[in-house]
Amino acid sequence: MIRAVLFDVGGTLHEVRHPPGLAERYCQTLLDRLAERGAALPVTADSLAPLLHKNAEAYKHWSEEHLTELPGVRIWNEFYLKDFRLGEEILAPLAEDFSWMYDAVRVENVPRPHMRETIQALHASGLVLGIISNMISETFVPRLLESYEITRYLSCVVVSSRTGTRKPSPAIFETAARECGIPLAEMAYVGDTLSRDVLGCRNAGIPLSIQIQNPAMAFRDAGLAETGLAADAVIRDLAEIPGIIQAYNSKCRP
């Protein structure tokens, strides 16, 4: 019996888009903030944007290999801005703002259709709801959920920047189970990737994995194409979830 439904954030509750010029404007903000602290970098925003992307991808590869999320100041010092050897003393006061802006300002987040209505319907049916998200910022997800006006429906919000562990490690799912008070065996999880979300469900022993289609993230799952790994249900719209939960629970009743 499913008693809780937990969600991924990026690609699941919203789609992430990359309008032209947005990343460069974000990089200019970073450069301005660093210059204010006496750490002007010898680059332009246009040249920093691709370098930052390359370094962020290197960190993503490292973090997925180790299933670890580093503290923000280390992420910026050892990966994102490693070429400039700024040091943690300079970056410590800036790291969280830079991390928040990385997902809030550098890209455009567009809520999925029926997102709020689906959360409300699941909550009204008596299900416990929560969030498990890989995120370098500690504040991005809480602030986002407030802006989406769904915080009051959620019993737990677990982000990798606070746990130090990342999906698909079972540890981050176990943390969420403790916080929401529902065993993993009575939980469903909704995400958009095989490599983090569906595999994370399998690793944690979650019986019902729901994958929402997200072509923009297909490249991250390319290495799993021949493994047979698949979600228990694949959806196009979040509004499909209540029916899936009802059907699953109906089969569990004697």
Side-chain angles (χ1 to χ4, degrees), residues 49-66:
L51 178 63
L52 187 61
H53 175 73
K54 182 187 77 170
N55 290 346
E57 287 296 304
Y59 173 68
K60 187 176 292 291
H61 177 77
W62 181 92
S63 64
E64 290 176 351
E65 180 181 356
H66 294 82

Side-chain angles (χ1 to χ4, degrees), residues 141-253:
V141 170
R143 292 169 69 173
L144 182 84
L145 299 175
E146 286 287 348
S147 72
Y148 288 168
E149 299 180 346
I150 60 173
T151 302
R152 63 184 178 275
Y153 303 114
L154 304 173
S155 296
C156 70
V157 176
V158 177
V159 291
S160 59
S161 53
R162 293 183 177 173
T163 65
T165 56
R166 291 174 56 93
K167 298 177 293 182
S169 168
I172 194 169
F173 292 90
E174 290 162 1
T175 297
R178 288 192 298 272
E179 292 196 8
C180 72
I182 302 294
L184 292 168
E186 299 178 9
M187 185 181 293
Y189 187 71
V190 185
D192 64 317
T193 64
L194 290 173
S195 55
R196 295 189 292 260
D197 301 312
V198 176
L199 182 58
C201 287
R202 296 292 179 261
N203 291 342
I206 291 174
L208 180 57
S209 63
I210 302 173
Q211 182 183 15
I212 189 164
Q213 294 180 339
N214 182 10
M217 292 300 291
F219 73 100
R220 298 212 181 275
D221 292 336
L224 296 170
E226 306 300 326
T227 65
L229 179 67
D232 299 300
V234 178
I235 61 175
R236 292 179 179 271
D237 193 301
L238 293 171
E240 299 173 55
I241 296 172
I244 291 172
I245 303 299
Q246 291 170 10
Y248 183 96
N249 283 345
S250 294
K251 292 180 180 178
C252 295
R253 295 189 183 98

Side-chain angles (χ1 to χ4, degrees), residues 71-82:
V73 66
R74 289 190 59 190
I75 294 172
W76 285 94
N77 189 48
E78 298 173 24
F79 287 92
Y80 284 25
L81 294 176
K82 67 182 180 65

Side-chain angles (χ1 to χ4, degrees), residues 109 137 198:
N109 299 307
S137 166
V198 176

